[in-house]
Amino acid sequence: ILFLAAHGHSLSVLTALILCLTNTTSCSILIMEKISISEAARQLGIHRTTLHRWIEEGVVPEPVAENIAGARLRYWTKADFAKVKKYKRENYWGQGKKRKGNKKARSQKN
């Protein structure tokens, strides 16, 4: 830690290092990018309930559930989130089940 401080590393790097040395669960959170359901919904531009419905229907991979400090966190890894993005790109165009027909048929009409 002294070596990092002597070479101008910020306090957050030092804090992260101390956290990694004292708490292995938190260290894994810092190393692997995890995307929560709420964050995934923001990135995809859809509502959280849409993602929950897709999970219940089994059309996207179920997020990993992990208990950290008494809180249950559900998240996707980058690889699983890529599958969620692919499903959205191929099957969702913004109006849910209200729309009739498929995407290609509508685009050919216009």
Side-chain angles (χ1 to χ4, degrees):
I1 295 173
L2 295 176
F3 176 78
L4 291 173
H7 286 78
H9 289 281
S10 69
L11 183 60
S12 62
V13 171
L14 296 175
T15 304
L17 182 61
I18 291 168
L19 186 62
C20 285
L21 294 174
T22 59
N23 189 338
T24 57
T25 302
S26 297
C27 186
S28 68
I29 290 172
L30 293 172
I31 294 170
M32 183 194 322
E33 184 174 344
K34 298 176 181 183
I35 302 162
S36 69
I37 292 175
S38 295
E39 180 60 27
R42 277 190 290 274
Q43 288 186 24
L44 295 170
I46 59 176
H47 200 274
R48 283 189 336 247
T49 56
T50 301
L51 278 176
H52 284 286
R53 186 177 67 247
W54 290 352
I55 294 165
E56 287 175 17
E57 293 172 354
V59 296
V60 297
E62 190 160 329
V64 175
E66 191 173 316
N67 290 323
I68 298 177
R72 183 171 181 243
L73 302 175
R74 295 175 67 193
Y75 60 86
W76 283 289
T77 61
K78 276 187 152 185
D80 284 340
F81 182 63
K83 294 174 186 174
V84 176
K85 286 191 335 188
K86 180 181 179 194
Y87 177 80
K88 187 218 179 213
R89 184 175 55 249
E90 293 174 353
N91 299 287
Y92 183 79
W93 49 85
Q95 293 299 318
K97 296 179 180 180
K98 294 180 203 169
R99 281 211 150 140
K100 302 290 182 199
N102 64 28
K103 196 176 191 178
K104 290 181 184 177
R106 282 195 316 279
S107 64
Q108 290 173 352
K109 288 180 183 179
N110 296 332

